[in-house]
Each structure stands twice: as C-alpha cells, then as structure tokens.
Amino acid sequence: MNTSKLSLYVFIAFLLAFVGFSSNAIAQEDKTLLNSDAKIGFYLNPYTQISPVAGETAAFFGVRGAVTLQKKFAVGGLYQFSVNQIRPSTETDDRLYYDVQQFGGFIEYTLNPTNAFHLTFPLAIGGGEIQADWRDGFEDLDDNDNFGEATFFFVEPRVEGELNLHRFVRLHAGVGYRFVGDISYRTLENNAMRGISATIGIKLGIF
C-alpha cells in the first residue's frame, strides 16, 4: 500500500471517530472532562501546504492532531507528504522525480480564540525524508539503481489567521518558514528544503 492511500485511510478513520465522539459529547448534559473547568479538547486538522524543495514548488497534503487546553494551547503530532512530482533542475537524470515526507510534533498558541477571527502561532519540530524515484512514463524501467534516501531535521514556525466557522469547525491559513539542517543527497544543496511555506486547512474538533 502506498503512502498516499495509507494516509487517506488513516484520515477517514480519524474523521469517523471524530463524528462519533462529537455527537456523543453534544448529547451529554452531565459535566465531563471536555466541559469541565479544565477545558480540555482536541482537534483533527487536514491541510495543504506549498513550499520550496530544491528550487521547485512542492505541494503537500498533511494531517495534524492535537489536544487543546484552555482553548489557547495545543500540543500534538503531524505527518505530511508531497503530492506532486518534484523535478529539481540540478538533477542529472531527467527521468527521476523527488518525493518528501515530514513528521514530528508541534505546539500552538491561539490569541483570543473566542473571537470569530483570531491569530494562531504554531511551531513544528521534527524530521523528514527525501528520495528519488522514476517519474511518470518510466515506472516500468528495470531499476538497478539504489537511489537511497536522505533524512533531515526541521523547525517551522508559522503565523496563521483562523476563522471560527462553527462550534466544531475552524478554517485557517497562514505563512511560515521552514529551517532545515544539512542534507546530503545526490545533487541537492544544504538549503534545498529551506524556505517560506503557505498553508491552508480546516480544524475539526471540540475546542
């Protein structure tokens, strides 16, 4: 099973669990952990991101999941992967493309979360993997080459605007900058993954 299909199945499973859990929470009148003074909640956040990879524009699909506290603080994990075939101009074999995966954790602070429109400040820290593969039209080639892969460390602060569409739904969009450690892979330079990112997504949760 490829990464895209697996991630889609995981997202659907989380979405179904969220629908069932939120329906149960709405029906409850007794005090529970989610509506107690502790104000503990959670959200699931599918999103898309545009950012540079080796001088080319890369599109990513990702999912974040987090636990929230007092409506202002969140901590959780994330996973995202590239969805387009990235073809760096520095690559010596034009039959190849690169794909990228990122995973890690994040913390987030939300300013004035009860306002219809407000700002959030997520900070992601984690690792990633970049590797080459045959691009469209060359999948059936006899692959005698071991392209291998390279791993990297990243830190990505962002600032985002967030709109409360519904009690359980928020839309967010913003920009950030991805700082990346040294990468040694084929013709890539150390700054191949660094740069400005733009993100848009939707949060489903009990905030």
Side-chain angles (χ1 to χ4, degrees):
M1 183 180 297
N2 62 39
T3 301
S4 300
K5 288 184 178 179
L6 178 60
S7 299
L8 179 60
Y9 293 153
V10 171
F11 168 65
I12 292 173
F14 270 111
L15 183 60
L16 292 175
F18 162 74
V19 172
F21 187 80
S22 59
S23 298
N24 181 63
I26 294 172
Q28 291 190 56
E29 296 296 335
D30 296 334
K31 178 169 284 191
T32 66
L33 181 62
L34 292 177
N35 59 16
S36 68
D37 291 339
K39 292 186 175 63
I40 297 176
F42 74 94
Y43 67 75
L44 178 68
N45 175 209
Y47 63 90
T48 58
Q49 183 181 94
I50 302 295
S51 59
V53 174
E56 305 299 323
T57 299
F60 292 84
F61 173 78
V63 178
R64 298 192 306 170
V67 173
T68 63
L69 178 63
Q70 301 294 346
K71 298 182 181 294
K72 292 185 176 183
F73 304 96
V75 59
L78 66 90
Y79 173 73
Q80 69 180 46
F81 59 92
S82 57
V83 295
N84 63 322
Q85 295 190 351
I86 306 163
R87 298 169 60 187
S89 59
T90 57
E91 175 54 56
T92 56
D93 189 337
D94 63 4
R95 299 173 300 173
L96 300 180
Y97 77 96
Y98 288 14
D99 60 49
V100 181
Q101 301 179 65
Q102 291 178 242
F103 43 85
F106 72 94
I107 56 175
E108 182 177 29
Y109 175 75
T110 302
L111 187 65
N112 300 320
T114 57
N115 290 353
F117 178 80
H118 50 265
L119 296 178
T120 71
F121 303 90
L123 172 65
I125 301 174
E129 176 184 283
I130 186 168
Q131 63 181 27
D133 202 350
W134 297 114
R135 64 180 176 84
D136 291 344
F138 298 96
E139 300 94 332
D140 297 329
L141 290 177
D142 181 17
D143 182 9
N144 294 319
D145 295 320
N146 180 12
F147 298 127
E149 60 194 28
T151 58
F152 58 87
F153 172 80
F154 77 91
V155 176
E156 184 176 349
R158 294 205 307 271
V159 57
E160 298 184 342
E162 190 166 87
L163 183 64
N164 294 346
L165 298 178
H166 184 270
R167 180 180 175 187
F168 304 113
V169 182
R170 296 179 177 180
L171 177 68
H172 68 93
V175 296
Y177 192 91
R178 183 172 57 209
F179 298 91
V180 180
D182 291 347
I183 297 177
S184 177
Y185 186 68
R186 297 179 67 83
T187 60
L188 294 183
E189 299 179 352
N190 286 337
N191 61 356
M193 291 287 297
R194 300 173 192 167
I196 296 174
S197 61
T199 304
I200 185 170
I202 190 166
K203 293 179 179 177
L204 309 171
I206 298 177
F207 301 96

